[in-house]
Amino acid sequence: MRGNINLRKEVFYWQDMKIKKITLRKIEIPMLTSFTTGFGTIDRKPTVLVRVETTDGIIGWGESAALPYPMYNPESVDTCMLVIRDYLASSVLNKPFETIEDINKLMSPVRENYIAKTGIETAIWMILSLARNKSIPEILGGTRKKIEVGESIGIKKSIQETTEEIGLRLSQGFKRIKIKIKPGWDINLIKAIRIKYPDISLMVDANSSYTLKDISLLKKMDNYNLTMIEQPLGDDDIVDHAVLQKQLRTPICLDESILTLDDARRAISIGSCKIINIKPGRVGGLNETKRISEHCQSKSVGVWIGGMLEIGIGQAYKIAAASLQNCIYPGDLSPIDFYYKDDVLIDSPKVDKNGCIKVSQKPGLGYQISEDKIKHYTVAKIDLK
Ligand code: OSB
Ligand code: MG
C-alpha cells in the first residue's frame, strides 16, 4: 500500500508541475585572488543565481556562472540577467512540464545563450530531484561515488611562481595540473615544469590563443608528455583543429568549440579532438552534458567536467555531472575557498587529501544553501511571475 501511495505522489508531481515564480539574483562574493588566462584577467567574478518555485511550492536553485565580460564566450553576467529576464522566464513560467526535456524544449526558441539557460535548467534538476526524492546523480544516471579533481593554474608573473603553486597543489593531493598558456607563455614554462616534475599528469589550456600559423610551436609540445592540449585554436574552428590533431601525438581537448551534442558529433567525426571538456554551463545544463558524454563514450572519447569559477551552487551540479561514467579524467573542481572569500553553501564540497570529492547522494542540490549568505552578497534582484 505504502509503495502505491509514494508512487502516486511521484506521478502527481511528475505530471502536474508548473513554474510559478523565478527570482533572479546577481551575486558578488569578493575574490581572494585573480585568475589570468589567454583571454584576459578575471579579478571580479559576479555570478547569477536563479531561484525557481513551482505551483506545488518546490524550490530549486541554479547558477549561470558567466564571466563579467564576454571574452570566454559571447555571454556575460549581464547578458544572462537580461536573457533570463526578457526571454527565458516567460518561455517557462506557468507552462506544464514533466521532464527536463520539456524545459529544454520550452527554452529552445531562444538561440544559444547556454549559460543563461543553465541557471534555469539546473534549478529544474533540483526540483525534479526533490519531487522524486532521489539524488541528482541518481536521476542523471551517474555511477561514480567519488570523483577526481584537478587544479587549473592561471598565468602568473613568473615561472617560479607557477612551479611553486604546482608544488603546493600536488602536496594537497590534486590529481592533475592544468596550466593556462598563451603565445610567449608556453614552451619555456612547460619545459621548466617538466624538469621539476617529470612524471606528473600535466595539461595545458590555451583558450583559443593560437592559430595554425603556430603549428611548429604547437608540435614542440609533443615532447613533454602532456595528457592533453585544451582548445589551442579558435572556438569556431573544428576544421583547423582537425588539421592540427593529425600532426600532433598529444590529444587535443575541445572546450569553447563544443556547445551542443551536434558540435561534439561533428568534431569527433572529422578528428578535431580526442577528449572533450564538458562544462554544464557552456552546453546549457546537465541534460546536454549527459548526451554529449554518452555520445563521446560510444566513440571512445573520454570527457571531464570543466568549470567557470562557479560558486557552490554551480559546483554542486558539476559534481553531479562528474559522476557520469565517461568522465574518466579529473575535473576542474577547485575548492570554492581557493578563489572566494565565502560561499553560499554552508557545507561546501571538500576535496580530500587524495584529491577526490565524494558525490553527495542527498535529494535536491545535495548541499545546504544559506539564504542569508545569498541575500548578503546580492547586488541586484528581479522577481518574475
Ligand atoms: O577555459 O577552462 C577554462 C575559468 C574561467 C573561464 C574559462 C576556463 C576557466 C578555468 C578554471 O580553467 C576552471 C574552474 O576551476 O572553474
Ligand atoms: Mg578551457
Side-chain angles (χ1 to χ4, degrees):
M1 267 323 269
R2 178 175 289 180
N4 277 342
I5 291 163
N6 283 344
L7 184 68
R8 287 182 59 178
K9 186 173 160 194
E10 187 178 306
V11 168
F12 170 75
Y13 277 129
W14 205 237
Q15 292 187 339
D16 280 27
M17 282 211 260
K18 273 186 191 167
I19 298 172
K20 179 170 80 179
K21 185 177 166 193
I22 294 177
T23 307
L24 204 51
R25 285 170 184 270
K26 182 164 156 182
I27 302 279
E28 187 161 354
I29 301 178
M31 284 184 95
L32 297 171
T33 171
S34 63
F35 187 73
T36 299
T37 75
F39 58 73
T41 295
I42 304 164
D43 50 13
R44 284 182 51 233
K45 180 67 179 69
T47 193
V48 178
L49 293 185
V50 184
R51 179 186 183 274
V52 175
E53 187 174 343
T54 68
T55 47
D56 303 309
I58 306 177
I59 289 158
W61 286 89
E63 179 174 354
S64 290
L67 300 187
Y69 38 68
M71 286 169 122
Y72 161 78
N73 76 352
E75 297 183 84
S76 72
V77 164
D78 291 326
T79 71
C80 287
M81 292 289 284
L82 181 138
V83 167
I84 297 172
R85 187 193 70 190
D86 290 359
Y87 306 111
L88 294 176
S90 58
S91 68
V92 295
L93 272 164
N94 299 309
K95 306 268 168 61
F97 68 94
E98 292 177 23
T99 63
I100 206 81
E101 285 81 9
D102 293 338
I103 293 292
N104 287 330
K105 212 169 173 181
L106 289 169
M107 294 196 289
S108 67
V110 175
R111 290 187 59 185
E112 303 201 7
N113 287 285
Y114 295 116
I115 300 181
K117 288 174 180 171
T118 297
I120 294 178
E121 205 251 17
T122 50
I124 302 297
W125 277 96
M126 178 169 164
I127 287 168
L128 295 179
S129 167
L130 290 168
R132 303 178 94 190
N133 198 30
K134 285 184 178 151
S135 72
I136 294 172
E138 192 180 349
I139 49 178
L140 185 66
T143 50
R144 295 174 188 274
K145 303 289 177 233
K146 244 179 163 191
I147 56 173
E148 296 189 337
V149 180
E151 182 56 11
S152 178
I153 296 181
I155 293 170
K156 305 276 172 199
K157 284 199 196 73
S158 66
I159 290 178
Q160 194 187 337
E161 207 183 306
T162 311
T163 54
E164 279 169 10
E165 180 160 341
I166 292 172
L168 173 67
R169 297 314 179 202
L170 292 170
S171 75
Q172 290 167 327
F174 289 92
K175 293 287 193 192
R176 64 100 174 105
I177 298 295
K178 155 168 151 182
I179 54 159
K180 293 288 187 177
I181 57 166
K182 64 174 183 183
W185 181 259
D186 42 39
I187 291 293
N188 289 342
L189 172 70
I190 296 167
K191 204 184 284 178
I193 295 171
R194 269 300 178 222
I195 289 170
K196 199 140 185 226
Y197 306 106
D199 301 319
I200 62 167
S201 171
L202 179 67
M203 60 171 289
V204 296
D205 183 2
N207 285 106
S208 297
S209 48
Y210 297 88
T211 71
L212 276 186
K213 289 194 186 121
D214 302 306
I215 200 152
S216 65
L217 178 120
L218 292 165
K219 282 171 83 166
K220 286 188 193 145
M221 293 186 193
D222 268 346
N223 300 326
Y224 299 96
N225 191 27
L226 303 174
T227 53
M228 65 193 90
I229 302 177
E230 183 176 341
Q231 196 71 37
L233 311 177
D235 63 330
D236 55 353
D237 212 339
I238 60 171
V239 175
D240 283 358
H241 276 107
V243 172
L244 179 62
Q245 181 67 89
K246 279 182 191 63
Q247 301 198 45
L248 287 183
R249 267 180 290 122
T250 310
I252 291 177
C253 167
L254 291 177
D255 171 352
E256 284 91 325
S257 292
I258 307 297
L259 306 181
T260 63
L261 172 61
D262 280 331
D263 289 342
R265 181 180 53 73
R266 293 181 191 115
I268 293 167
S269 76
I270 64 168
S272 308
C273 65
K274 294 181 180 165
I275 298 170
I276 292 179
N277 159 352
I278 310 179
K279 297 183 180 176
R282 196 191 65 231
V283 304
L286 294 186
N287 198 44
E288 197 71 1
T289 295
K290 179 185 165 83
R291 285 167 24 103
I292 294 172
S293 173
E294 287 178 349
H295 174 73
C296 288
Q297 190 163 8
S298 76
K299 300 290 173 190
S300 302
V301 169
V303 307
W304 51 281
I305 299 301
M308 294 288 296
L309 303 175
E310 287 83 355
I311 56 171
I313 291 180
Q315 183 89 337
Y317 294 108
K318 282 164 57 182
I319 293 168
S323 74
L324 290 167
Q325 209 199 333
N326 194 35
C327 290
I328 60 174
Y329 302 100
D332 275 345
L333 287 146
S334 291
I336 307 300
D337 61 7
F338 279 15
Y339 286 101
Y340 297 99
K341 210 186 95 187
D342 202 356
D343 191 12
V344 295
L345 301 182
I346 293 163
D347 52 350
S348 307
K350 294 269 172 304
V351 179
D352 69 23
K353 62 181 193 314
N354 300 313
C356 292
I357 296 177
K358 226 174 98 230
V359 177
S360 172
Q361 304 296 334
K362 292 180 198 148
L365 187 70
Y367 301 89
Q368 225 183 316
I369 295 168
S370 163
E371 301 216 13
D372 287 344
K373 286 190 178 184
I374 290 176
K375 282 182 190 143
H376 180 74
Y377 293 110
T378 294
V379 292
K381 175 174 175 257
I382 304 169
D383 282 322
L384 301 154
K385 285 187 216 190

